[in-house]
């Protein structure tokens, strides 16, 4: 099993995106679903086929660090439960690529489940252990998956971008409009140890 070949599907994100586009009244959008690994795309294709909520979908295997798309070719770039899987030193490159392919005045939206600063690390590990428990395998293998997930998400203060200051600097250097306190950050829900975090930024 390759590193990225676990049970991620892109199904959840695609379904949400299709529903939202449909609710806000988009008529002619085409959705491009990108993942570096083949299996999530295959699962999504098997689930949805060629359309999601009536919107045509292209499934593209590719790297978010080097998107296989032209400059200024998208009206919306959205990442979902993804930035926390990208090492801190590579996040800037993801933002640069998002900025490159977006048209001017269009938005980048990122939504993550994150562990807020100050959270008890043991609760955080427990949270990932419950996720890892869904993977097939022996208890030892599940423990390894949980440890792997903790390492993936173990960034400074469990914030998806290291710090808000570094995120602002990174966004501004990649053509977005962002300033401290001006990022639209929404804590949509908070439970024992995780919250849903959303960030919107406009390309200028
Ligand atoms: C938590 S999953 C995303 C879940 C997905 N949004 C969903 O709806 O279920 C993280 C995904 O990021 C993908 N990934 C990791 N590094 C990547 C990269 N550099 N470029 C593109 N995709 C990447 C992994 O293959 C994995 O499918």
């Amino acid at each position: 099993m390759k590193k990225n070949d676990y049970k991620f599907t892109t199904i959840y994100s695609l379904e949400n995106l299709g529903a939202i586009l449909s609710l806000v009244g988009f008529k002619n959008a085409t959705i491009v679903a990108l993942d570096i690994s083949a299996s999530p795309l295959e699962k999504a294709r098997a689930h949805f086929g060629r359309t999601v909520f009536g919107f045509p979908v292209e499934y593209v295997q590719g790297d978010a660090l080097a998107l296989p798309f032209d400059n200024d070719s998208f009206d919306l770039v959205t990442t979902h439960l993804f930035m926390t899987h990208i090492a801190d030193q590579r996040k800037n490159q993801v933002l640069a690529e998002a900025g490159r392919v977006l048209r001017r005045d269009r938005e980048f939206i990122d939504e993550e489940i994150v562990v807020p600063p100050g959270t008890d690390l043991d609760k955080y590990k427990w949270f990932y252990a419950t996720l890892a428990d869904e993977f097939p395998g022996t208890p030892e293998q599940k423990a390894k998956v949980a440890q792997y997930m903790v390492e993936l998400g173990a960034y400074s203060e469990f914030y998806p971008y290291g710090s808000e200051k570094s995120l602002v600097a990174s966004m501004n250097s990649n053509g977005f409009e962002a300033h401290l306190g001006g990022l639209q950050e929404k804590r949509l829900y908070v439970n024992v140890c995780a919250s849903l975090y959303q960030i919107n930024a406009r390309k200028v």
Side-chain angles (χ1 to χ4, degrees), residues 3-16 34-41 62-67 79-86 90 94:
K3 193 168 102 176
N4 284 320
D5 259 353
Y6 296 128
K7 62 180 278 187
F8 301 128
T9 60
T10 75
I11 290 174
Y12 176 62
S13 308
L14 264 180
E15 194 150 54
N16 277 287
L34 177 127
D35 200 290
I36 200 163
S37 175
S39 73
L41 298 167
D63 191 350
L65 296 158
L67 290 172
T79 48
H80 190 210
L81 313 181
F82 168 67
M83 278 297 196
T84 40
H85 292 252
I86 295 290
R90 295 196 164 149
V94 172

Side-chain angles (χ1 to χ4, degrees), residues 16-199:
N16 277 287
L17 181 61
I20 289 165
L21 292 178
S22 168
L23 281 170
V24 298
F26 268 85
K27 294 275 181 269
N28 296 314
T30 296
I31 298 173
V32 178
L34 177 127
D35 200 290
I36 200 163
S37 175
S39 73
L41 298 167
E42 280 158 15
K43 285 177 197 156
R45 192 188 280 113
H47 184 82
F48 293 113
R50 291 183 184 181
T51 59
V52 177
F53 282 82
F55 299 105
V57 188
E58 289 168 26
Y59 301 93
V60 176
Q61 190 174 1
D63 191 350
L65 296 158
L67 290 172
F69 308 122
D70 291 339
N71 295 355
D72 309 316
S73 54
F74 284 82
D75 289 311
L76 173 69
V77 173
T78 171
T79 48
H80 190 210
L81 313 181
F82 168 67
M83 278 297 196
T84 40
H85 292 252
I86 295 290
D88 271 358
Q89 64 272 26
R90 295 196 164 149
K91 287 185 170 77
N92 185 58
Q93 180 63 17
V94 172
L95 295 176
E97 281 295 271
R100 181 181 69 73
V101 303
L102 257 181
R103 297 192 177 101
R104 242 182 104 186
D105 275 338
R106 300 297 196 261
E107 285 214 359
F108 166 75
I109 301 177
D110 172 39
E111 192 174 86
E112 307 289 335
I113 294 175
V114 297
V115 181
T119 301
D120 180 341
L121 184 61
D122 286 337
K123 284 184 182 165
Y124 174 65
K125 287 183 177 165
W126 169 83
F127 170 68
Y128 271 125
T130 57
L131 287 182
D133 203 38
E134 293 178 19
F135 287 78
T138 63
E140 290 73 29
Q141 287 168 327
K142 289 177 184 196
K144 266 192 184 169
V145 172
Q147 184 55 34
Y148 176 60
M149 290 171 123
V150 167
E151 282 164 15
L152 274 178
Y155 310 122
S156 43
E157 299 183 325
F158 309 114
Y159 185 81
Y161 301 95
S163 74
E164 186 174 296
K165 208 172 161 191
S166 68
L167 170 61
V168 166
S170 183
M171 293 212 122
N172 287 338
S173 70
N174 287 304
F176 291 99
E177 182 184 71
H179 49 90
L180 271 181
L183 295 165
Q184 289 179 49
E185 176 191 330
K186 297 168 192 161
R187 288 273 151 86
L188 299 177
Y189 69 73
V190 179
N191 61 21
V192 181
C193 61
S195 65
L196 197 59
Y197 178 96
Q198 182 180 313
I199 202 141

